[in-house]
């Protein structure tokens, strides 16, 4: 159950936030500015590429990496294929993970390596693969880490990861089976809010130089400003009644969120939200794009998760037994519904089955980068509030 009294008690929230998650979410704008400065110092803003690569490959560790790859593809409007290279290995520990380039990868392709760790041996081996194949390599990670050194040795470009002075990724660890030489197990960093922007910003600078995304200094300054404004509106000092993140956290409590997206950037946000809810809060969520979502998740609205389920035991103990989990449709859009939007039909379907609906969209007239920033910051804050006030692992 969500402790809603905690949501409107900023001091109590700060006391419960032993890992600095709220501070991390609020620092996203600062990370963008710092990451832009690091990218400039590394020479990214001065690049003058001769044409575009054939494809972009992305690899790394942590929940932020798939979202970064998703957003690059979405913001680039499909002008260039963006492929995420999934890791393999016997354990989820970074030291046990390995990555393999697709068989077609070669001199015409760009490999992007992003990680808040930088000590993954598998990523260093991937750099060697890319060097032998002739791929161009750019990495974003902690300076002086083995990955940065391997990138420089392979004649690639290593960009330092932007961090706040007191930031650490060691506090949040996911459980993993013990392995040889690791009796207690180990795991990669888990869903720390704000890490995404430290990893993504240099990639946006590079995409701007390649002509794929409008992400020059002006656009990134506007992105950082939007992150700051959204963090202020979603922060712990803002009361629940006017705080979209706290409201969303309350709506997610004891619900199975069905994240229905409209538009590629909204789809990336939906997948990131589901990943963050699972990794940070231990809560399930399902994603699908409209209009197919109504078919894919229609049975959930009419079945045991429906708000109109009439099979409930009238005599059950409501004190000892929790309320049954019910589906909640969350409509994620990149702007106001267009004439051919499926949002109206989605609402009608949900209401017809007694299912509650939440809606999330950015301020009208937002640029693509600002749209992604506002949506992502809102769902990140919501996940943190759900973790702190909803009985999740702290």
């Amino acid at each position: 159950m969500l402790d809603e009294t905690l949501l409107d008690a900023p001091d109590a929230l700060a006391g419960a936030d032993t890992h600095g998650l709220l501070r991390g979410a609020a620092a996203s704008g600062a990370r963008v500015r710092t990451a832009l400065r690091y990218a400039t110092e590394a020479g990214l803003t001065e690049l003058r590429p001769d044409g575009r690569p054939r494809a972009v490959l992305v690899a790394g560790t942590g929940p932020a990496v798939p979202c970064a790859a998703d957003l690059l593809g979405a913001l680039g409007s499909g002008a260039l294929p963006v492929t995420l290279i999934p890791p393999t290995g016997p354990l989820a520990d970074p030291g046990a993970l390995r990555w393999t380039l697709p068989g077609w990868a070669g001199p015409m392709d760009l490999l992007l390596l992003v990680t808040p760790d930088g000590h993954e041996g598998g990523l260093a081996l991937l750099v060697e693969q890319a060097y032998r194949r002739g791929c161009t390599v750019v990495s974003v990670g902690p300076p002086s880490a083995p990955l940065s050194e391997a990138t420089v040795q392979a004649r690639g470009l290593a960009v330092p990861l932007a961090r706040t002075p007191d930031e650490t990724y060691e506090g949040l660890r996911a459980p993993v089976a013990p392995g040889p030489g690791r009796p207690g197990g180990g795991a990669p960093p888990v869903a720390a809010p704000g890490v995404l922007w430290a990893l993504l910003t240099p990639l946006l600078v590079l995409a701007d130089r390649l002509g794929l995304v409008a992400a020059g200094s002006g656009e990134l300054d506007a992105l950082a400003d939007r992150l700051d404004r959204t963090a202020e509106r979603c922060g712990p000092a803002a009361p629940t009644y006017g705080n979209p993140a706290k409201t969303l956290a309350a709506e997610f409590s004891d619900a199975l969120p069905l994240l229905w997206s409209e538009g590629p950037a909204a789809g990336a946000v939906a997948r990131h939200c589901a990943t963050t809810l699972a990794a940070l809060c231990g809560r399930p969520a399902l994603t699908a794009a409209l209009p197919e979502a109504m078919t894919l998740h229609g049975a959930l609205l009419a079945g045991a998760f429906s708000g109109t389920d009439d099979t409930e035991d009238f005599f059950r103990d409501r004190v000892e037994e929790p309320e049954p989990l019910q589906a909640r449709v969350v409509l994620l859009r990149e702007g106001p519904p267009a004439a051919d939007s499926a949002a109206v039909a989605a609402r009608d379907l949900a209401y017809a089955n007694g299912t509650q609906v939440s809606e999330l969209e950015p301020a009208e007239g937002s640029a693509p980068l600002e749209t992604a920033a506002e949506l992502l910051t809102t769902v990140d804050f919501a996940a943190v509030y759900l973790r702190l006030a909803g009985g999740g692992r702290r």
Side-chain angles (χ1 to χ4, degrees), residues 101-106 133:
L101 286 174
W104 49 262
R133 300 268 197 99

Side-chain angles (χ1 to χ4, degrees), residues 26-361:
S28 296
R31 275 195 187 86
V32 168
R33 297 183 183 94
T34 304
L36 176 58
R37 176 165 56 84
Y38 285 178
T40 301
E41 293 171 354
L44 269 183
T45 56
E46 300 301 320
L47 285 180
R48 302 184 185 279
D50 184 16
R52 296 180 180 179
R54 175 180 58 178
V56 175
L57 302 164
V58 181
T61 54
V65 177
C67 185
D70 259 358
L71 285 174
L72 277 183
L75 295 170
S77 302
L80 192 66
V82 178
T83 301
L84 178 69
I85 303 177
T88 59
L91 296 172
D93 188 279
L97 299 178
R98 294 293 181 268
W99 290 261
T100 302
L101 286 174
W104 49 262
M108 298 176 63
D109 303 311
L110 171 63
L111 174 64
L112 305 177
L113 306 173
V114 286
T115 173
D117 189 326
H119 291 78
E120 303 93 338
L123 288 180
L125 293 175
L126 184 62
V127 172
E128 295 179 12
Q129 292 181 47
Y131 180 70
R132 291 195 299 268
R133 300 268 197 99
C135 299
T136 301
V137 179
V138 176
S139 68
V140 181
S144 303
L147 176 61
S148 296
E149 297 172 1
T151 302
V152 172
Q153 291 174 2
R155 299 180 182 179
L157 184 59
V159 182
L161 177 70
R163 285 186 172 183
T164 56
D166 58 346
E167 186 173 32
T168 175
Y169 297 115
E170 298 303 317
L172 292 173
R173 291 277 172 177
V176 68
R182 194 176 289 274
V190 176
V195 176
L196 170 65
W197 297 106
L199 296 173
L200 180 62
T201 301
L203 306 188
L204 292 173
V205 174
L206 180 59
D208 178 77
R209 303 308 299 170
L210 293 171
L212 301 174
V213 179
S217 59
E219 287 84 0
L220 291 178
D221 285 342
L223 166 65
D225 291 342
R226 177 63 67 90
L227 287 167
D228 287 343
R229 290 195 299 272
T230 307
E232 183 177 356
R233 194 170 74 253
C234 295
T240 300
Y241 67 82
N243 188 319
K246 289 182 180 179
T247 300
L248 199 60
E251 292 170 346
F252 281 170
S253 178
D254 299 319
L256 173 64
L258 305 181
L259 305 167
W260 293 359
S261 59
E262 199 164 47
V269 173
R271 289 184 288 275
H272 170 78
C273 182
T275 299
T276 303
L277 287 174
L280 200 60
C281 311
R283 301 294 186 100
L286 299 175
T287 68
L290 288 172
E292 291 91 344
M294 292 182 280
T295 300
L296 296 175
H297 295 168
L300 291 171
L301 301 185
F305 297 100
S306 168
T308 58
D309 183 17
D310 58 1
T311 62
E312 181 184 0
D313 181 4
F314 179 80
F315 297 102
R316 72 177 178 84
D317 189 337
R318 284 165 170 76
V319 175
E320 298 296 332
E321 298 181 27
E323 291 293 327
L325 196 66
Q326 292 186 353
R328 171 179 281 273
V329 170
V330 183
L331 299 179
L332 289 154
R333 296 192 301 271
E334 299 175 10
D340 59 347
S341 172
V344 174
R347 286 193 211 102
D348 291 344
L349 176 64
Y351 292 145
N353 286 278
T355 301
Q356 295 180 310
V357 178
S358 302
E359 301 194 37
L360 197 61
E361 67 179 48

